[in-house]
Amino acid sequence: MKTILIYLVVINVVTFVIYGYDKWQSQHGGWRVSERALLGLVAAFGGVGALAGMWGLRHKTKHRLFVVGVPAMMLVEFLLFNVVLYLITSSW
């Protein structure tokens, strides 16, 4: 369980940093991070970092795919995580 928590903290910090990097690149005309990669980080359980980057840095907040997609992916992951946790901890 400790390993899972460490992973969640790391992936969300990395996701926030990458959202910040992409925001900086967008403002300075540099190479951007693909939307697929940004959403991939969310799919890897980095949704909290993505939302923090979206709201805190005001990045991708006008893109419906992100405004709707990130919370939707987080909800699915939350439900999936709880089902798996229940199956692991319950006695059959």
Side-chain angles (χ1 to χ4, degrees):
M1 194 65 162
K2 182 178 176 184
T3 305
I4 293 171
L5 291 176
I6 291 170
Y7 171 78
L8 290 173
V9 169
V10 170
I11 191 65
N12 281 286
V13 168
V14 167
T15 301
F16 179 80
V17 168
I18 292 177
Y19 270 67
Y21 171 78
D22 188 54
K23 172 75 175 194
W24 191 88
Q25 290 290 74
S26 72
Q27 293 172 333
H28 293 89
W31 287 92
R32 302 285 305 278
V33 178
S34 70
E35 289 187 349
R36 176 180 277 176
L38 293 173
L39 291 172
L41 290 166
V42 177
F45 290 89
V48 173
L51 283 179
M54 288 173 61
W55 294 338
L57 305 172
R58 304 213 21 92
H59 187 52
K60 299 288 186 188
T61 57
K62 293 182 180 178
H63 297 263
R64 176 179 241 154
L65 179 62
F66 285 84
V67 172
V68 174
V70 171
M73 288 172 64
M74 288 177 65
L75 177 62
V76 169
E77 289 176 348
F78 175 77
L79 294 173
L80 179 65
F81 182 78
N82 281 295
V83 167
V84 170
L85 189 61
Y86 173 77
L87 291 174
I88 290 172
T89 59
S90 68
S91 59
W92 294 49

